[in-house]
Amino acid sequence: MCSSDLDHEVDAVTTSYASAENTDVIDLVADYGKPFLHTATFAEQVKLTEDDPARFGAVFQTCASETFYGVGLIRLLTELETAGVWRPRSRRIVSIEAAAASTRVTNEHFLATAEQARWSVADPIRVSMPSTDWTEVVARLAAVEPEVVMVTHFLDQEVATFQQAFVAAGLHSLVYCVYGPSIPRFQDLAGSTADGIIWSTTTGTYDDVLGRRFRNQYTARFGRVPGWSQAGAAYDQVQLLAAAWSA
């Protein structure tokens, strides 16, 4: 989005997570003054709006921040252990993060939560954008021998390529991905190598009555099944605006 897009004098702007990688957008929409709804999980922008609510009062993040990805992983690992359905051989976690402005899941909050649950976290592997030599990354993983790999890279094709390289190397870590596998193309690209992956998204469409109704209506309207993330999030943003304005 650029300033010329606002020349149309729209009443609100909805978008996905692109604003996290284009940080000047927040200032642009703050100057514009109309509601701006986004699904960027960038924790720094959360703090930005909290610190200056007068300037950024029309900026609404319609999802949880990236902080909850790491906390959610530790909660899941604890639940799996407690239920006895998974027994880790070690307590070592390695995270793989894209070298992007908005990918900071391996933060102080995550490290403290992991330590409390008796997990050790190795230094994160930061990988280049938009493409990465995943064979080299997998070799680095093999040297560390982690029990859990947390992949916070958000490009579906890159996550799929990583998973293919991971399976080809014969590694046996539990793989936890954020967001990327929610995009329909991920499973097409990863194929059978996607089996066993655990993934989460803070913008997910539930597989409940409301979620299934939305997916059925979306499929009927557009002739294809929506993903588990942005399609439902975009719908919710419009519904939030409609409800607020009608009230």
Side-chain angles (χ1 to χ4, degrees):
M1 187 182 76
C2 60
S3 58
S4 61
D5 294 326
L6 303 179
D7 292 341
H8 298 290
E9 299 184 356
V10 297
D11 295 308
V13 177
T14 65
T15 187
S16 60
Y17 56 83
S19 58
E21 299 304 314
N22 298 275
T23 53
D24 58 331
V25 167
I26 295 296
D27 285 312
L28 185 65
V29 297
D31 292 337
Y32 187 61
K34 299 295 178 65
F36 177 72
L37 284 65
H38 69 88
T39 58
T41 61
F42 194 15
E44 286 187 18
Q45 287 184 348
V46 175
K47 188 174 187 308
L48 181 70
T49 55
E50 287 178 342
D51 290 346
D52 194 351
R55 173 163 174 72
F56 300 105
V59 176
F60 299 96
Q61 178 181 302
T62 58
C63 63
S65 92
E66 61 194 0
T67 300
F68 294 94
Y69 280 130
V71 174
L73 169 61
I74 300 303
R75 183 177 65 243
L76 171 66
L77 297 180
T78 301
E79 289 175 353
L80 292 176
E81 283 189 89
T82 302
V85 298
W86 177 67
R87 302 184 188 281
R89 296 159 297 178
S90 71
R91 304 195 70 80
R92 187 178 301 111
I93 299 174
V94 172
S95 63
I96 300 174
E97 297 193 340
S102 63
T103 306
R104 293 291 187 275
V105 177
T106 314
N107 49 41
E108 292 182 1
H109 190 48
F110 168 70
L111 295 175
T113 305
E115 182 180 11
Q116 187 176 16
R118 298 182 296 107
W119 286 95
S120 65
V121 182
D123 291 338
I125 300 175
R126 302 283 290 176
V127 299
S128 60
M129 292 276 287
S131 60
T132 298
D133 182 351
W134 290 109
T135 301
E136 178 184 347
V137 172
V138 168
R140 292 174 63 183
L141 283 178
V144 179
E145 296 184 344
E147 184 65 13
V148 178
V149 178
M150 179 171 71
V151 184
T152 66
H153 200 302
F154 51 83
L155 297 181
D156 57 329
Q157 67 270 28
E158 289 298 301
V159 180
T161 305
F162 158 76
Q163 185 63 18
Q164 291 170 335
F166 177 87
V167 172
L171 302 184
H172 299 288
S173 307
L174 185 152
V175 176
Y176 167 81
C177 299
V178 306
Y179 178 69
S182 69
I183 303 173
R185 186 174 59 168
F186 169 81
Q187 190 167 354
D188 295 334
L189 295 172
S192 61
T193 65
D195 292 346
I197 282 181
I198 295 174
W199 63 269
S200 67
T201 175
T202 65
T203 54
T205 301
Y206 287 148
D207 190 19
D208 58 6
V209 173
L210 293 178
R212 286 192 292 273
R213 184 176 67 187
F214 167 75
R215 289 171 61 79
N216 290 336
Q217 291 175 342
Y218 184 101
T219 302
R221 173 65 177 81
F222 298 105
R224 60 178 179 175
V225 178
W228 291 99
S229 182
Q230 292 298 330
Y235 177 84
D236 285 345
Q237 287 175 336
V238 174
Q239 293 299 312
L240 284 169
L241 284 171
W245 285 336
S246 66

